[in-house]
Amino acid sequence: MLDFTSALYLGLRHPSRSLRPWGSLSTGRPAVLGAPSGAGGVAAKLAALIGCESAVLLPSTLHLFWDLFGLLAQERIAIHMDKGAYAISRWGVERAAARGVPVRQFRHHDPESLSASVRRDAARGLRPVVVADGFCPSCGNLAPLPDYLEIARDYDGLLVLDDTQTLGIQGHTPSWEAPYGYGGGGSLRRFGISGADVLLGSSLAKSFGVPVAVLAGSALWLERFDKHSATPTHCSPPSAAVIHAAEQALEINASHGDALRRTLAQRINQFRSRLRQRGFSAHGKLFPLQTLAAVEGASASELYRRLLDRGVRSVLLHGHSKGAIGFLITASHRAEDIDRAVERLAASLSRGFHPSAMRQFR
Protein backbone atom coordinates (compact mmCIF):
# COMPACT_ATOMS: atom_id res chain seq x y z
CA MET A 1 0.00 0.00 0.00
CA LEU A 2 1.32 3.43 -0.96
CA ASP A 3 0.31 5.72 1.89
CA PHE A 4 -0.11 9.46 1.30
CA THR A 5 -2.10 10.29 4.45
CA SER A 6 0.65 11.06 7.00
CA ALA A 7 1.50 14.62 8.04
CA LEU A 8 4.96 13.60 9.31
CA TYR A 9 6.48 15.91 6.72
CA LEU A 10 10.14 15.17 7.46
CA GLY A 11 9.47 11.47 8.02
CA LEU A 12 10.43 11.51 11.73
CA ARG A 13 8.74 8.67 13.65
CA HIS A 14 10.70 8.20 16.91
CA PRO A 15 10.30 4.47 17.67
CA SER A 16 10.65 3.81 21.40
CA ARG A 17 13.93 1.92 21.01
CA SER A 18 15.52 5.07 19.53
CA LEU A 19 14.64 7.31 22.49
CA ARG A 20 16.47 8.01 25.69
CA PRO A 21 14.78 5.76 28.32
CA TRP A 22 12.64 7.08 31.15
CA GLY A 23 11.92 5.80 34.62
CA SER A 24 8.32 6.98 34.75
CA LEU A 25 6.00 7.98 31.93
CA SER A 26 4.29 10.62 34.06
CA THR A 27 5.09 12.39 37.32
CA GLY A 28 1.49 12.04 38.48
CA ARG A 29 1.45 15.74 39.29
CA PRO A 30 -0.30 18.60 37.49
CA ALA A 31 1.98 20.83 35.49
CA VAL A 32 1.63 23.69 37.98
CA LEU A 33 3.67 21.68 40.52
CA GLY A 34 6.67 21.48 38.24
CA ALA A 35 7.77 20.71 34.71
CA PRO A 36 9.07 17.20 34.08
CA SER A 37 12.78 16.62 33.62
CA GLY A 38 14.09 17.85 30.28
CA ALA A 39 11.09 20.04 29.42
CA GLY A 40 12.93 23.29 30.13
CA GLY A 41 15.89 22.33 27.96
CA VAL A 42 13.65 21.40 25.03
CA ALA A 43 11.70 24.65 25.40
CA ALA A 44 14.91 26.70 25.41
CA LYS A 45 16.16 24.99 22.24
CA LEU A 46 12.83 25.58 20.54
CA ALA A 47 12.88 29.26 21.51
CA ALA A 48 16.34 29.60 19.93
CA LEU A 49 15.25 27.73 16.79
CA ILE A 50 12.08 29.80 16.36
CA GLY A 51 13.78 33.11 17.13
CA CYS A 52 12.16 34.09 20.44
CA GLU A 53 13.48 34.88 23.91
CA SER A 54 11.57 32.18 25.75
CA ALA A 55 9.23 29.21 25.30
CA VAL A 56 7.20 26.67 27.24
CA LEU A 57 5.89 23.21 26.35
CA LEU A 58 2.20 22.33 26.60
CA PRO A 59 0.38 19.06 25.93
CA SER A 60 -1.37 20.41 22.81
CA THR A 61 -2.22 23.57 20.89
CA LEU A 62 -5.74 23.26 22.30
CA HIS A 63 -4.33 23.72 25.82
CA LEU A 64 -2.10 26.51 24.51
CA PHE A 65 -4.72 28.63 22.74
CA TRP A 66 -7.36 27.99 25.40
CA ASP A 67 -5.06 29.45 28.04
CA LEU A 68 -3.58 32.21 25.91
CA PHE A 69 -6.88 33.73 24.81
CA GLY A 70 -8.30 33.38 28.30
CA LEU A 71 -5.38 35.48 29.48
CA LEU A 72 -5.71 38.02 26.66
CA ALA A 73 -9.42 38.40 27.39
CA GLN A 74 -8.51 40.19 30.61
CA GLU A 75 -7.25 43.17 28.59
CA ARG A 76 -9.05 45.88 26.65
CA ILE A 77 -8.52 44.38 23.22
CA ALA A 78 -10.25 43.51 19.98
CA ILE A 79 -9.28 40.33 18.14
CA HIS A 80 -8.81 40.53 14.38
CA MET A 81 -8.67 37.03 12.90
CA ASP A 82 -7.70 36.01 9.39
CA LYS A 83 -10.68 34.20 7.85
CA GLY A 84 -8.38 31.32 6.97
CA ALA A 85 -7.26 30.70 10.57
CA TYR A 86 -7.17 27.06 11.65
CA ALA A 87 -9.87 25.59 13.86
CA ILE A 88 -7.88 25.24 17.10
CA SER A 89 -6.81 28.88 17.28
CA ARG A 90 -10.44 29.74 16.48
CA TRP A 91 -11.56 27.73 19.51
CA GLY A 92 -9.26 29.82 21.66
CA VAL A 93 -10.68 33.00 20.13
CA GLU A 94 -14.17 31.75 20.91
CA ARG A 95 -13.22 31.58 24.58
CA ALA A 96 -12.21 35.24 24.49
CA ALA A 97 -15.45 36.09 22.66
CA ALA A 98 -17.44 34.32 25.38
CA ARG A 99 -15.81 36.70 27.85
CA GLY A 100 -16.97 39.73 25.90
CA VAL A 101 -13.97 40.45 23.68
CA PRO A 102 -14.98 41.85 20.25
CA VAL A 103 -13.89 39.51 17.45
CA ARG A 104 -13.56 40.62 13.83
CA GLN A 105 -12.59 38.60 10.78
CA PHE A 106 -10.66 40.12 7.90
CA ARG A 107 -10.21 38.84 4.36
CA HIS A 108 -7.71 36.02 3.99
CA HIS A 109 -4.14 37.26 3.55
CA ASP A 110 -5.39 40.81 2.97
CA PRO A 111 -3.46 43.47 4.95
CA GLU A 112 -5.73 46.27 3.69
CA SER A 113 -8.78 44.49 5.08
CA LEU A 114 -6.94 44.01 8.39
CA SER A 115 -5.88 47.66 8.52
CA ALA A 116 -9.44 48.89 8.02
CA SER A 117 -10.72 46.52 10.71
CA VAL A 118 -8.05 47.58 13.20
CA ARG A 119 -8.64 51.31 12.61
CA ARG A 120 -12.33 51.03 13.45
CA ASP A 121 -11.67 49.42 16.84
CA ALA A 122 -8.64 51.56 17.63
CA ALA A 123 -10.95 54.58 17.54
CA ARG A 124 -12.72 52.97 20.51
CA GLY A 125 -9.46 52.55 22.41
CA LEU A 126 -9.17 48.78 21.80
CA ARG A 127 -5.69 47.34 21.24
CA PRO A 128 -5.58 44.92 18.31
CA VAL A 129 -4.65 41.27 18.65
CA VAL A 130 -4.06 39.93 15.14
CA VAL A 131 -4.55 36.16 14.80
CA ALA A 132 -3.29 34.21 11.79
CA ASP A 133 -1.63 31.02 10.58
CA GLY A 134 1.91 31.24 9.26
CA PHE A 135 0.93 29.19 6.23
CA CYS A 136 -2.38 28.29 4.59
CA PRO A 137 -2.57 24.74 3.19
CA SER A 138 -5.76 25.60 1.28
CA CYS A 139 -4.22 28.33 -0.88
CA GLY A 140 -0.59 27.22 -0.58
CA ASN A 141 0.71 30.64 0.49
CA LEU A 142 2.64 32.06 3.41
CA ALA A 143 0.74 34.74 5.29
CA PRO A 144 1.97 38.34 4.78
CA LEU A 145 3.23 38.41 8.35
CA PRO A 146 5.48 41.50 8.08
CA ASP A 147 2.44 43.50 6.96
CA TYR A 148 0.28 42.05 9.74
CA LEU A 149 2.90 42.87 12.35
CA GLU A 150 3.41 46.41 11.08
CA ILE A 151 -0.32 47.08 11.34
CA ALA A 152 -0.47 45.62 14.86
CA ARG A 153 2.53 47.74 15.91
CA ASP A 154 0.96 50.94 14.59
CA TYR A 155 -1.67 50.55 17.31
CA ASP A 156 0.47 49.00 20.08
CA GLY A 157 -1.03 45.60 19.31
CA LEU A 158 0.02 41.98 19.30
CA LEU A 159 0.47 39.31 16.62
CA VAL A 160 -0.60 35.80 17.65
CA LEU A 161 0.58 33.19 15.19
CA ASP A 162 -0.24 29.50 14.72
CA ASP A 163 2.88 28.15 13.01
CA THR A 164 2.10 24.44 13.11
CA GLN A 165 2.30 23.95 9.34
CA THR A 166 5.52 25.92 8.97
CA LEU A 167 7.71 24.98 11.94
CA GLY A 168 10.25 22.42 10.77
CA ILE A 169 9.85 23.31 7.09
CA GLN A 170 10.40 27.01 6.49
CA GLY A 171 13.62 28.67 7.56
CA HIS A 172 15.93 31.56 6.83
CA THR A 173 17.53 32.48 3.51
CA PRO A 174 15.52 30.45 0.98
CA SER A 175 17.28 29.84 -2.33
CA TRP A 176 17.07 27.73 -5.46
CA GLU A 177 19.10 25.00 -3.73
CA ALA A 178 17.12 25.26 -0.50
CA PRO A 179 13.60 26.45 -1.42
CA TYR A 180 12.40 26.20 2.19
CA GLY A 181 15.46 27.99 3.54
CA TYR A 182 17.67 26.70 6.34
CA GLY A 183 17.15 25.62 9.92
CA GLY A 184 13.43 24.88 9.95
CA GLY A 185 12.68 27.59 12.52
CA GLY A 186 9.37 28.53 10.92
CA SER A 187 7.70 31.76 9.87
CA LEU A 188 9.58 34.20 12.10
CA ARG A 189 12.90 32.94 10.75
CA ARG A 190 11.54 32.90 7.20
CA PHE A 191 10.61 36.59 7.36
CA GLY A 192 13.29 37.71 9.81
CA ILE A 193 10.78 39.19 12.25
CA SER A 194 10.69 39.13 16.03
CA GLY A 195 9.73 41.26 19.00
CA ALA A 196 7.92 41.44 22.30
CA ASP A 197 4.67 41.94 20.37
CA VAL A 198 4.79 38.48 18.74
CA LEU A 199 3.50 35.25 20.29
CA LEU A 200 3.87 32.01 18.38
CA GLY A 201 2.05 28.77 19.13
CA SER A 202 2.83 25.57 17.31
CA SER A 203 2.41 21.84 17.47
CA LEU A 204 5.48 19.70 16.83
CA ALA A 205 3.28 16.88 15.55
CA LYS A 206 3.83 17.65 11.85
CA SER A 207 7.42 18.08 10.72
CA PHE A 208 8.99 16.98 14.01
CA GLY A 209 6.62 14.05 14.62
CA VAL A 210 6.01 14.79 18.32
CA PRO A 211 2.54 15.35 19.83
CA VAL A 212 3.44 18.36 21.97
CA ALA A 213 2.97 22.12 21.61
CA VAL A 214 5.24 25.09 22.18
CA LEU A 215 4.37 28.69 22.99
CA ALA A 216 7.22 31.07 22.20
CA GLY A 217 7.58 34.80 22.72
CA SER A 218 9.26 37.38 24.90
CA ALA A 219 10.51 36.42 28.36
CA LEU A 220 8.03 38.89 29.89
CA TRP A 221 5.07 37.37 28.09
CA LEU A 222 6.10 33.80 28.91
CA GLU A 223 6.55 34.71 32.58
CA ARG A 224 3.06 36.16 32.60
CA PHE A 225 1.65 33.08 30.87
CA ASP A 226 3.37 30.82 33.39
CA LYS A 227 1.85 32.70 36.32
CA HIS A 228 -1.71 33.01 35.05
CA SER A 229 -2.46 30.13 32.67
CA ALA A 230 -5.19 27.81 33.90
CA THR A 231 -4.69 24.37 32.36
CA PRO A 232 -1.43 23.57 34.25
CA THR A 233 -3.48 23.50 37.45
CA HIS A 234 -5.86 20.87 36.10
CA CYS A 235 -3.86 18.99 33.44
CA SER A 236 -0.75 16.85 33.29
CA PRO A 237 2.38 18.18 31.60
CA PRO A 238 3.83 16.48 28.51
CA SER A 239 4.97 12.93 29.25
CA ALA A 240 8.59 11.81 29.52
CA ALA A 241 8.26 9.90 26.25
CA VAL A 242 7.07 13.02 24.43
CA ILE A 243 9.87 15.15 25.88
CA HIS A 244 12.51 12.60 24.88
CA ALA A 245 11.04 12.41 21.38
CA ALA A 246 11.18 16.22 21.12
CA GLU A 247 14.85 16.12 22.20
CA GLN A 248 15.55 13.62 19.45
CA ALA A 249 13.61 15.59 16.84
CA LEU A 250 15.65 18.72 17.55
CA GLU A 251 18.90 16.74 17.35
CA ILE A 252 17.89 15.28 13.98
CA ASN A 253 16.80 18.69 12.74
CA ALA A 254 20.18 20.16 13.68
CA SER A 255 22.17 17.41 11.98
CA HIS A 256 20.00 16.32 9.04
CA GLY A 257 17.05 18.70 8.86
CA ASP A 258 18.21 20.70 5.84
CA ALA A 259 18.89 17.50 3.87
CA LEU A 260 15.43 16.17 4.76
CA ARG A 261 13.84 19.44 3.64
CA ARG A 262 15.66 19.25 0.31
CA THR A 263 14.40 15.69 -0.16
CA LEU A 264 10.86 16.79 0.67
CA ALA A 265 11.02 19.59 -1.91
CA GLN A 266 12.35 17.16 -4.52
CA ARG A 267 9.52 14.69 -3.92
CA ILE A 268 6.86 17.39 -4.16
CA ASN A 269 8.37 18.79 -7.36
CA GLN A 270 8.54 15.26 -8.77
CA PHE A 271 4.86 14.66 -7.96
CA ARG A 272 3.79 17.90 -9.59
CA SER A 273 5.99 17.24 -12.63
CA ARG A 274 4.60 13.72 -13.14
CA LEU A 275 1.06 15.09 -12.94
CA ARG A 276 1.83 17.74 -15.56
CA GLN A 277 3.25 15.06 -17.86
CA ARG A 278 -0.17 13.40 -17.64
CA GLY A 279 -1.95 16.65 -18.38
CA PHE A 280 -3.12 17.12 -14.80
CA SER A 281 -2.25 19.48 -11.95
CA ALA A 282 -2.45 19.98 -8.20
CA HIS A 283 -2.87 22.93 -5.86
CA GLY A 284 -0.44 23.47 -3.00
CA LYS A 285 2.75 24.82 -4.60
CA LEU A 286 5.65 23.44 -2.51
CA PHE A 287 3.55 22.48 0.51
CA PRO A 288 3.38 18.75 1.43
CA LEU A 289 -0.42 18.62 0.96
CA GLN A 290 -1.03 18.44 -2.77
CA THR A 291 -4.71 18.75 -3.73
CA LEU A 292 -5.65 17.47 -7.17
CA ALA A 293 -7.30 20.03 -9.37
CA ALA A 294 -10.89 19.09 -10.20
CA VAL A 295 -11.34 16.76 -13.16
CA GLU A 296 -14.56 17.24 -15.09
CA GLY A 297 -16.77 14.17 -14.82
CA ALA A 298 -14.65 12.55 -12.08
CA SER A 299 -16.22 12.12 -8.64
CA ALA A 300 -13.74 12.67 -5.80
CA SER A 301 -15.32 9.94 -3.65
CA GLU A 302 -15.27 7.44 -6.51
CA LEU A 303 -11.68 8.32 -7.40
CA TYR A 304 -10.71 7.89 -3.76
CA ARG A 305 -12.25 4.38 -3.74
CA ARG A 306 -10.52 3.42 -6.98
CA LEU A 307 -7.15 4.60 -5.70
CA LEU A 308 -7.65 2.55 -2.55
CA ASP A 309 -8.49 -0.51 -4.66
CA ARG A 310 -5.20 0.03 -6.52
CA GLY A 311 -3.16 0.26 -3.34
CA VAL A 312 -2.94 4.05 -2.94
CA ARG A 313 -4.19 5.60 0.29
CA SER A 314 -5.01 9.29 -0.30
CA VAL A 315 -7.03 11.88 1.64
CA LEU A 316 -10.65 12.61 0.74
CA LEU A 317 -11.02 16.32 1.50
CA HIS A 318 -14.54 17.44 2.35
CA GLY A 319 -13.88 21.17 2.65
CA HIS A 320 -14.33 21.64 -1.10
CA SER A 321 -17.75 22.05 -2.73
CA LYS A 322 -17.61 18.66 -4.47
CA GLY A 323 -14.84 17.08 -2.44
CA ALA A 324 -11.24 16.70 -3.55
CA ILE A 325 -8.36 14.24 -3.40
CA GLY A 326 -5.24 15.15 -1.45
CA PHE A 327 -1.79 13.57 -1.34
CA LEU A 328 0.46 14.25 1.66
CA ILE A 329 4.04 14.01 0.42
CA THR A 330 6.80 13.42 2.98
CA ALA A 331 10.58 13.10 2.96
CA SER A 332 10.19 9.38 3.63
CA HIS A 333 8.52 8.73 0.26
CA ARG A 334 10.83 7.23 -2.34
CA ALA A 335 11.04 8.49 -5.92
CA GLU A 336 9.47 5.24 -7.12
CA ASP A 337 6.56 5.71 -4.70
CA ILE A 338 5.73 9.01 -6.39
CA ASP A 339 5.92 7.52 -9.90
CA ARG A 340 3.77 4.53 -8.98
CA ALA A 341 1.15 6.72 -7.30
CA VAL A 342 0.71 8.91 -10.38
CA GLU A 343 0.57 5.84 -12.64
CA ARG A 344 -2.17 4.32 -10.48
CA LEU A 345 -4.00 7.64 -10.40
CA ALA A 346 -4.01 7.68 -14.21
CA ALA A 347 -5.21 4.05 -14.27
CA SER A 348 -8.01 4.92 -11.85
CA LEU A 349 -9.33 7.46 -14.36
CA SER A 350 -8.93 5.22 -17.40
CA ARG A 351 -12.44 3.76 -17.42
CA GLY A 352 -15.90 4.57 -16.21
CA PHE A 353 -15.50 8.36 -15.93
CA HIS A 354 -16.62 11.09 -18.29
CA PRO A 355 -14.46 11.17 -21.47
CA SER A 356 -13.15 14.64 -20.60
CA ALA A 357 -11.54 13.17 -17.48
CA MET A 358 -9.67 10.56 -19.52
CA ARG A 359 -8.47 13.12 -22.06
CA GLN A 360 -6.65 15.04 -19.34
CA PHE A 361 -4.49 12.01 -18.65
CA ARG A 362 -3.41 11.33 -22.23
Side-chain angles (χ1 to χ4, degrees), residues 287-357:
F287 185 65
L289 176 60
Q290 296 291 299
T291 305
L292 294 179
V295 178
E296 183 183 353
S299 160
S301 57
E302 175 63 16
L303 179 55
Y304 172 82
R305 186 191 63 79
R306 292 188 181 194
L307 284 168
L308 205 56
D309 289 344
R310 287 175 168 81
V312 179
R313 183 173 287 119
S314 60
V315 180
L316 182 58
L317 303 168
H318 296 287
H320 301 256
S321 57
K322 296 182 180 179
I325 298 296
F327 286 77
L328 279 161
I329 313 295
T330 74
S332 60
H333 284 119
R334 302 168 301 173
E336 52 264 39
D337 295 334
I338 303 297
D339 289 342
R340 288 162 60 199
V342 175
E343 290 169 4
R344 295 179 188 183
L345 175 62
S348 298
L349 283 162
S350 64
R351 62 176 67 179
F353 282 118
H354 190 276
S356 62

Side-chain angles (χ1 to χ4, degrees), residues 65 68-69 72 77-94 96 101-110 114 118 127-134 143-145 148-149 152 157-163 197 199 201:
F65 286 118
L68 178 59
F69 285 104
L72 288 169
I77 63 167
I79 293 175
H80 302 268
M81 181 170 58
D82 189 306
K83 282 189 175 180
Y86 188 61
I88 295 180
S89 60
R90 284 178 174 273
W91 295 342
V93 169
E94 288 171 2
V101 174
V103 175
R104 324 295 184 200
Q105 292 194 71
F106 62 92
R107 288 189 298 272
H108 186 47
H109 288 184
D110 188 337
L114 169 61
V118 167
R127 293 178 60 226
V129 173
V130 180
V131 180
D133 294 351
L145 297 181
Y148 287 0
L149 183 55
L158 184 70
L159 174 63
V160 175
L161 182 64
D162 182 343
D163 214 33
D197 45 11
L199 285 171

Side-chain angles (χ1 to χ4, degrees), residues 60-78:
S60 72
T61 50
L62 181 57
H63 292 78
L64 187 160
F65 286 118
W66 174 263
D67 266 340
L68 178 59
F69 285 104
L71 183 59
L72 288 169
Q74 300 172 17
E75 300 188 4
R76 186 168 168 74
I77 63 167

